[in-house]
Amino acid sequence: MMNNSQPPRYKAYSLNNFKKLPCMARLDEDELFDIEVVGNVFPFKVSNYVVEELIDWNNYKDDPIFRLTFPHRDMLLPGHYELMSQALKAGKSRPEIRQLANQIRTELNPHPAGQIKLNVPVINGQKLMGVQHKYRETVLFFPGSGQTCHSYCTFCFRWPQFTGMDELKFAMRETDSLVKYLQQHHEVTDLLFTGGDPMIMKAKVFRQYIEPFLEGTHKTNVQTIRIGSKSLAYWPYKFTTDPDAEEMLGLFRALVDKGFNVSFMAHFSHPVELNTAAVQLAVKRILATGVQIRTQSPVLRHINDKPEVWSKMWRQQVNMNMIPYYMFVERDTGAQHYFEIPLEETWEIFRQAYRKVSGICRTVRGPSMSCTPGKVQILGVQEINGQKVFVLRFIQGRNPNWVGRPFFAKYDPEATWFDDLEPAFEDHFFFQYELDKQAGSAIAESDKYMCN
Ligand SMILES: *Cc1c(COP(=O)(O)O)cnc(C)c1O
Ligand code: SF4
């Protein structure tokens, strides 16, 4: 537990200092070296809160939060592991290590992190970087000052791209062009702040981004402001004892007072993230501002691949007055072989969990794949006229007309992602021709799953 007399101060551990952690004494030399090998390829940063309050060090090997935040040997394929391990043992230089890491990453994931070039809107002939407009009603905004997180999830490829600029000036400029775009697009009702984690921002920086909405000068049709964040799981003190906690909550309250529906989209991966006094207080304080909290997470091997984990998590979230929203299928991970789960099993995890909870918890939708045509929900596996199929539907579609129409794909026990599926009963999916027609114009080559 953290010291109760002093407000906890945020501290981050990563490759250069993790060995100083007292709990590392429990790991043997090989395990420590594995962290180093894998941590050179995948993101590694963990907050003192996660280390001291979430991970059960008596069972660290199988602890879900340890797996979520600490690199694990099996995240690398054996060949890649050998390459990196030999490079480190040979004492290769920093640039050489970095080059090898990049090479491995490219082989694992041909679409490197942070390239938010999909569905990038244009205003007055200029590309609006940091903005993504894929679904009619909702614009995603990646504020330049929110491109890191309090800890990194080992499955995520979106670790920091840029920091340390003149944050305030940058924020004002970005907000200016975002608001201009929204003024020209009154179909947009929802503005979603994502990242990284926008709640990494200090309150006075965040204020710059929402100033036009606070001032009432925005002249847009934005009605809901969403904030995607994993801060409640990785640093809840952001809303309790941090120096800017009150100011941040004040901004939430001010947006609500202005008439906005503000929804905090909280990323929770496991029920243990809901148990500490700090997160419980943080949730209460956020709710007291009039902001709603909706919850979402991908389903991942080694972390939350059991139905009981989800039913317990949804029930507990509802008990804390949060609203379960999405369960995602994760694709955009580097260590895909390590985290992935076949679609059928993913659906079973969802179904077994869903049927255990009451209707109040069944606001959750999933399992959902964010792919090029839209967000595709796996409704289930069914046999129709002797043929086993996946039943699917769009929760969100590139074309709003696609939403809600059930469609079918051939059953494939090994499929782990939408791209693995083939149409059943027909030679094309109903949306295929229209999707192909759009290809080359606005279509994304890959679609990044939005964690936050
Ligand atoms: C999920 C998502 C949204 C938000 O969709 P909702 O159905 O409104 O929650 C917006 N943009 C992208 C690209 C998304 O993946
Ligand atoms: S999944 Fe979200 S919280 Fe985790 S590292 Fe990625 S952006 Fe950060």
Side-chain angles (χ1 to χ4, degrees), residues 181-349:
Y181 180 79
L182 295 173
Q183 285 168 350
Q184 294 173 11
H185 290 270
H186 276 237
E187 73 277 17
V188 178
T189 55
D190 288 38
L191 172 60
L192 201 166
F193 285 85
T194 179
D197 192 328
M199 288 294 104
I200 200 88
M201 283 188 250
K202 295 276 179 284
K204 73 173 189 312
V205 178
F206 183 61
R207 166 186 274 282
Q208 296 300 325
Y209 285 102
I210 56 168
E211 193 77 43
F213 302 100
L214 289 174
E215 298 292 324
T217 56
H218 57 98
K219 299 199 188 87
T220 71
N221 189 30
V222 169
Q223 294 161 46
T224 285
I225 295 176
R226 297 193 230 182
I227 301 161
S229 175
K230 198 164 168 70
S231 55
L232 283 171
Y234 282 164
W235 188 248
Y237 298 110
K238 178 78 187 171
F239 309 101
T240 61
T241 51
D242 270 6
D244 65 338
E246 289 303 333
E247 196 182 342
M248 188 60 92
L249 294 169
L251 292 173
F252 288 180
R253 200 172 285 118
L255 284 173
V256 172
D257 287 348
K258 273 281 167 193
F260 290 102
N261 166 252
V262 183
S263 203
F264 191 106
M265 312 302 287
H267 176 190
F268 286 115
S269 318
H270 195 281
V272 301
E273 294 169 332
L274 305 170
N275 284 344
T276 68
V279 70
Q280 293 183 357
L281 181 60
V283 165
K284 279 193 187 138
R285 300 190 82 200
I286 291 172
L287 292 176
T289 66
V291 165
Q292 300 176 322
I293 306 179
R294 288 183 172 73
T295 62
Q296 56 192 35
S297 171
V299 48
L300 301 154
R301 187 69 80 202
H302 310 296
I303 292 169
N304 55 22
D305 55 349
K306 299 278 179 298
E308 306 77 57
V309 169
W310 288 87
S311 52
K312 191 171 170 190
M313 183 158 71
W314 293 332
R315 186 62 248 183
Q316 207 166 327
Q317 286 167 352
V318 164
N319 294 352
M320 293 164 75
N321 286 320
M322 299 188 279
I323 307 165
Y325 192 62
Y326 275 138
M327 176 207 257
F328 290 116
V329 182
E330 175 66 29
R331 191 266 313 251
D332 193 39
T333 88
Q336 194 161 341
H337 62 279
Y338 177 81
F339 290 113
E340 78 185 354
I341 303 174
L343 294 180
E344 183 178 24
E345 186 183 342
T346 304
W347 164 65
E348 275 296 343
I349 294 168

Side-chain angles (χ1 to χ4, degrees), residues 149 151-153 155-156 158 196 230 234 267 451-452:
C149 311
S151 303
Y152 296 147
C153 308
F155 68 81
C156 179
R158 298 166 75 199
K230 198 164 168 70
Y234 282 164
H267 176 190
C451 124
N452 281 328

Side-chain angles (χ1 to χ4, degrees), residues 132 134-135 138 140 190 192 226 325-326 365 370 375 395-396 450:
Q132 195 189 98
K134 175 169 173 179
Y135 304 129
T138 306
L140 298 187
D190 288 38
L192 201 166
R226 297 193 230 182
Y325 192 62
Y326 275 138
R365 288 168 306 160
S370 292
K375 272 194 175 64
I395 293 175
Q396 271 293 7
M450 299 306 154

